[in-house]
Amino acid sequence: FPSHDIAAMDVRAKVAGVWKKALKAEEVNPAVDFFDAGGRSLAAINMLAELQREFRVEIDLEAFFMSPTLDATVRHIESALG
């Protein structure tokens, strides 16, 4: 794999792990809405805080609520990381 692909897979894996913890789930569908998967607002806020600490990026809460999927969260983080 080119190094960028490995870095992208690493971001996705880390984000998925945080999502699994927030949803108390063994697996997460990257296209499913966090709230449809059983997530709650407080869990989302805590999850985003953890992701911000992990990646040292700002994640806009309003943007997350507008597109609350794992895929969208990964894209946002990757974009913020450059």
Side-chain angles (χ1 to χ4, degrees):
F1 292 110
S3 62
H4 180 267
D5 289 345
I6 292 171
M9 289 179 359
D10 193 39
V11 169
R12 177 170 289 280
K14 286 181 180 180
V15 173
V18 174
W19 271 62
K20 289 174 189 177
K21 188 168 75 173
L23 291 169
K24 297 177 175 66
E26 296 204 10
E27 292 300 320
V28 290
N29 180 327
V32 170
D33 182 296
F34 178 83
F35 302 102
D36 289 344
R40 301 282 179 256
S41 296
L42 184 57
I45 292 167
N46 290 334
M47 177 186 71
L48 294 177
E50 184 172 346
L51 290 171
Q52 289 179 126
R53 282 191 304 273
E54 174 75 28
F55 292 103
R56 294 185 171 90
V57 298
E58 185 67 32
I59 301 174
D60 183 63
L61 186 61
E62 186 176 338
F64 175 78
F65 276 85
M66 291 179 68
S67 189
T69 66
L70 176 64
D71 280 341
T73 305
V74 169
R75 281 193 305 272
H76 179 84
I77 291 171
E78 289 175 342
S79 175
L81 291 173

